[in-house]
Amino acid sequence: MFTGIVKGKFPVVMILDKEGLRSFIVVLSNELVEGLVVGASVAVDGVCFTVTVIDHNRVSFDAMEETLRKTTIGSLKEGEFVNIERSARMGDEIGGHRMSGHVSTMAEIVDVHESEHNKAVTFKVDPEWMRFIFSKGFISLDGASLTVVDADKSQGTFQVWFIPETLRLTKFGEKKFGDRGNVEIDSQTQVIVETVGEVMKSWSYEVKE
């Protein structure tokens, strides 16, 4: 489990592509490597990965074909930075919201507005996902737990505002028009929406009968 509190952005220093598999190495801080073991779970840009090798601060991960197809890891390049969060432990404060690291879809940035102390970014997703996205609701973008400021279901867009601290710690300080991000829909919201939808369908069927 993850909380969506990104601990920082760290560089990808090596990528090795094989058929249906991508191995990559991220250089982490001393603090994040401490106590980390092979087999542990780490969120990389919001995607849950298993640690395969630890060589001092160089930590290796493997991404299978499905992950490469459905997340931004498939377009990752050497030298780029990724958002990192270690998995939550019992007793940790949940400052964001509960997340699994299982990406739902990708969103594209369609508008960016920057002021002195804020950055407002509008994202677009496939319309099918908008039924789970609400104004003031939770959403995960590249592993960061964020609040949706405004959702326009007719346009398939939603807006998020970033404070300076989030911009400093994550990749969103450099994100621009046309860039994509990994989206994890809040699981509780998804369950509620789908359950209510099934109940409404059953009621409609009973009325027709």
Side-chain angles (χ1 to χ4, degrees), residues 7 28 42 89 100 116 123 131 143 152 161 163 173 177 195 202:
K7 299 303 181 183
L28 301 183
V42 174
R89 296 170 293 185
S100 65
E116 185 177 359
F123 295 86
R131 60 194 176 114
D152 187 337
W161 285 64
I163 62 172
F177 180 89
T195 300
S202 66

Side-chain angles (χ1 to χ4, degrees), residues 35-165:
L36 189 66
V37 297
V38 172
S41 296
V42 174
V44 181
D45 275 354
V47 185
C48 180
F49 282 104
T50 299
V51 175
T52 57
V53 178
I54 301 174
D55 181 8
H56 300 289
N57 288 52
R58 296 165 60 93
V59 181
S60 300
F61 306 94
D62 287 339
M64 59 184 179
E65 187 172 354
E66 180 75 355
T67 302
L68 299 176
R69 185 170 62 86
K70 291 189 174 181
T71 74
T72 60
I73 301 301
S75 58
L76 194 63
K77 296 180 177 59
E78 290 183 7
E80 292 186 354
F81 283 72
V82 288
N83 295 337
I84 297 290
E85 181 191 353
R86 295 256 318 252
S87 59
R89 296 170 293 185
M90 291 294 294
D92 283 352
E93 178 181 352
I94 300 180
H97 69 280
R98 291 170 62 93
M99 290 158 38
S100 65
H102 300 159
V103 171
S104 307
T105 186
M106 287 184 285
E108 182 180 356
I109 295 176
V110 294
D111 187 61
V112 178
H113 177 74
E114 295 188 67
S115 59
E116 185 177 359
H117 298 297
N118 291 278
K119 183 174 184 177
V121 182
T122 301
F123 295 86
K124 187 176 182 65
V125 293
D126 287 338
E128 64 178 293
W129 295 104
M130 287 304 298
R131 60 194 176 114
F132 305 120
I133 301 175
F134 302 89
S135 298
K136 305 304 182 286
F138 288 125
I139 198 164
S140 167
L141 292 169
D142 283 343
S145 174
L146 299 162
T147 301
V148 176
V149 173
D150 184 48
D152 187 337
K153 295 184 183 297
S154 65
Q155 297 296 317
T157 62
F158 62 93
Q159 189 181 68
V160 175
W161 285 64
F162 297 91
I163 62 172
E165 181 66 5

Side-chain angles (χ1 to χ4, degrees), residues 131-132 187-203:
R131 60 194 176 114
F132 305 120
S187 59
Q188 290 183 326
T189 300
Q190 187 167 356
V191 168
I192 292 171
V193 170
E194 290 183 338
T195 300
V196 171
E198 289 301 314
V199 171
M200 294 297 288
K201 284 181 183 178
S202 66
W203 285 354

